[in-house]
Each structure stands twice: as structure tokens, then as C-alpha cells.
Amino acid sequence: MRFGVGLQGDKTPAEYVAQATLIDRYAFDVVSVYNDLFFQPAIGPLLVMAPHIRRAMLGPAALNPYTLHPVEIAGQIAFLDQVTQGRAYLGLARGAWLDAIGVPQPRPVGALREAVLTIKRLLSGEGELKYRTFRASVPITIGTWSPRTARLAGEIADEVKIGGSANSSMASHLRPFIVEGEVAAGRRERSVGICLGAVTVVDADRAAARQRARAEVALYAPVVAGLDPSLRDEEWLARIAEPARRGDYARVAALIPDAALDRLAFAGTPHDITRQVEDRARAGVSRVEFGTPHGLDSREGIRALGERVLPSFRT
């Protein structure tokens, strides 16, 4: 099992340096910065943190081929790879909320395929880049909930990330489609990993941690729950859809039962989080990414993950 930390693009350079310095004390394998619309582009925080993270891979989660051309994506990742001396990874997805800025997303599977192949060709030296790359390829993670895109990832990527989910059954749901892609491309079965990335709140006060997680999850639960077959309870979805339309996310949070919360977030004491991760490992998940806010206090949450959760998996 590998472990990642996901950070939002809403901090100052000094705050990113402080976060990076703290993360680097612990055995995290990956540090991601979200590239969500209307937040700071991920490449800035990644470059600020890179000198302060000596072990973990760094990358955006995730860029999309609609607002950033694959040639530009290749350039950003190539530079990050030089700065990190070969520890960059690239996260790609179709992108979310782009309708808010009038950007259409035609042929998402085809667009992702073309982007990956273009980026791979450029980094390998076959294109017309005017600079030298550190490596001829970087690991590629494709973020998706879609069977078709999961199949594509099985053909051409290194990992599938299911963002906004802590649900091992969602990983089991997409695995057959990933395998289809692996087989079609002549790759070894299960060579493509699966990452679950979700809101994480860890604290000694279990009730407070889960209350905060509910509040965070409420913002996207009405959408994500409809994509997860194990959460597709039409009556419950209808109950949370109405307050979500009104912007009453406190009501949405109150309507999220414990079982649903455990599928949408990593929440509770360090012991609770450890048990959740053990369950995901048994289901074949190869990486979990602990997303913001990490704890009631972000730095304390990262500290608890590094000191109370990771050691259980490093012996």
C-alpha cells in the first residue's frame, strides 16, 4: 500500500513550504496538488514545495486537455521532473466544472487518449521540444469514475484514481474494465494500480472528526453518490438533492449516515483510519490519497497520519 497527501490550491507560498516541510518528515509516497477550477494552478504550489520534499513523488491531480493543451502539459511536467530529479507524476482527467467558463468537453475518452499519447511522444524525444527532458516518461494517473475511461487507463496509464471516494467496492467495480484495457494492450493484468482519494479528517475526538468530514463531503455527495453503485439509493439521493439545490449543505451533512460517510471519506481516529485503509488494501487498492482538510487542524491531521497511521503499514 502506498500513501499520498492531497493539497488544495488555496494557500500562500509560505504555507506550502510549511506543509511540505511537515510532510517530508513522514513516509508519504506521493504529494498531489489539486488543479480545481478557480483555485491556483497546481504547477505553482508543486514547484514551491519541490525543494522541501526529498522522497515523495509530486504531481497535479489533475490537469485536463481542454483548458491546457497537451504540449503545455508536457512542458509543465517535464520541468517539474527536472526540479524533482525524476520524481514527478502526471495526473490527468476530463476536468470538472468547465461548463462554468463555457469550455465544452467533446469526446472525453478520445481527448484523454490523444493527450496521453501526445505527452508520451513529446517526453520520449520524438516531438519538437526545444528543451531537454530529465526522463523519457513519467508515471501517469488518470482520474475517473467511468468504466470507459478506466478501460483506457488500463491500456495507456499507470494508475486509476477514483477521486472523492474511499469506497473499496468502487475500486472493485472499475477493476474489470481496467483489466479489459490491460489485456487489449497486451499488458500484464493488474499492472495498473488503483488509488482512492477522499476527504480525510483524523483526530482523537472521533465525533468531531466525523462531523467535520460530513460537512466537507456534503458539498459533493449529491453528485458522487449517484456515480457509486453501492450508494445508489434513489430515495436517499432524492432526500439530499433538495437541500443541495437550496445550498443548505448543513442539512445535506445531517442526512449522510455513517455507512455512506465511510464510503465517501476517511474519517475518525487514527485507529479508524488504519482500519479503513486495511480494508481497502484487502480489496486490491494500491494507494490511498488523504485529501484536505486532513484534520480539524490541517497540520495536526498530517502529523497524526504520519505518526499514527503510516507506521502500521511500514513494518
Side-chain angles (χ1 to χ4, degrees):
M1 175 65 74
R2 299 167 68 238
F3 296 90
V5 175
L7 303 175
Q8 188 56 275
D10 59 354
K11 298 173 178 58
T12 66
E15 288 172 328
Y16 281 115
V17 169
Q19 293 273 36
T21 303
L22 175 62
I23 291 168
D24 196 52
R25 296 179 191 173
Y26 306 112
F28 291 104
D29 301 288
V30 181
V31 177
S32 302
V33 176
Y34 306 142
N35 199 68
D36 295 339
L37 190 65
F38 300 123
F39 288 87
Q40 296 173 114
I43 189 64
L46 288 166
L47 291 173
V48 168
M49 292 192 296
H52 306 279
I53 292 178
R54 297 164 294 178
R55 176 182 178 277
M57 296 169 57
L58 290 94
L63 305 182
N64 75 81
Y66 297 105
T67 58
L68 194 62
H69 193 279
V71 173
E72 298 295 327
I73 294 174
Q76 288 192 13
I77 295 305
F79 192 78
L80 181 62
D81 205 41
Q82 289 188 51
V83 172
T84 60
Q85 294 289 288
R87 287 181 291 113
Y89 90 92
L90 170 59
L92 285 172
R94 63 172 291 177
W97 307 296
L98 300 190
D99 57 327
I101 55 173
V103 175
Q105 296 168 282
R107 303 173 47 253
V109 177
L112 282 171
R113 180 187 293 277
E114 291 163 11
V116 170
L117 296 180
T118 298
I119 292 163
K120 286 186 173 184
R121 181 174 59 82
L122 290 170
L123 293 180
S124 71
E126 295 180 15
E128 299 179 354
L129 296 182
K130 307 301 183 184
Y131 53 86
R132 182 176 299 175
T133 60
F134 187 83
R135 288 185 293 176
S137 65
V138 300
I140 293 178
T141 294
I142 291 182
T144 189
W145 287 69
S146 158
R148 288 184 63 211
T149 306
R151 188 185 190 282
L152 171 68
E155 293 182 46
I156 62 176
D158 300 284
E159 182 181 61
V160 169
K161 180 183 174 186
I162 309 169
S165 177
N167 188 0
S168 55
S169 69
M170 190 63 209
S172 300
H173 172 65
L174 287 186
R175 174 63 78 184
F177 301 101
I178 298 171
V179 170
E180 282 184 21
E182 292 167 333
V183 171
R187 306 174 79 182
R188 179 174 55 83
E189 287 191 28
R190 293 183 174 263
S191 58
V192 175
I194 296 181
C195 171
L196 293 176
V199 161
T200 302
V201 185
V202 57
D203 195 88
D205 186 336
R206 185 177 192 273
R210 291 180 71 81
Q211 181 179 0
R212 175 68 182 277
R214 275 188 172 83
E216 297 286 337
V217 163
L219 299 173
Y220 64 82
V223 174
V224 168
L227 301 172
D228 186 333
S230 73
L231 289 171
R232 208 167 289 159
D233 179 329
E234 298 302 328
E235 180 182 350
W236 177 63
L237 289 174
R239 288 173 64 208
I240 64 175
E242 180 55 34
R245 278 194 292 270
R246 300 194 307 268
D248 185 359
Y249 291 105
R251 180 59 181 162
V252 175
L255 291 171
I256 299 174
D258 279 341
L261 183 64
D262 287 338
R263 292 180 173 92
L264 293 166
F266 298 105
T269 66
H271 178 79
D272 293 327
I273 305 298
T274 299
R275 294 294 167 264
Q276 279 188 278
V277 173
E278 287 174 342
D279 174 73
R280 280 54 177 173
R282 284 191 292 269
V285 173
S286 54
R287 180 167 73 93
V288 296
E289 185 160 279
F290 298 121
T292 56
H294 307 116
L296 302 179
D297 172 85
S298 179
R299 290 174 62 83
E300 289 304 315
I302 291 172
R303 207 171 269 118
L305 292 168
E307 295 177 2
R308 303 284 305 283
V309 176
L310 266 59
S312 298
F313 301 90
R314 298 305 193 197
T315 56

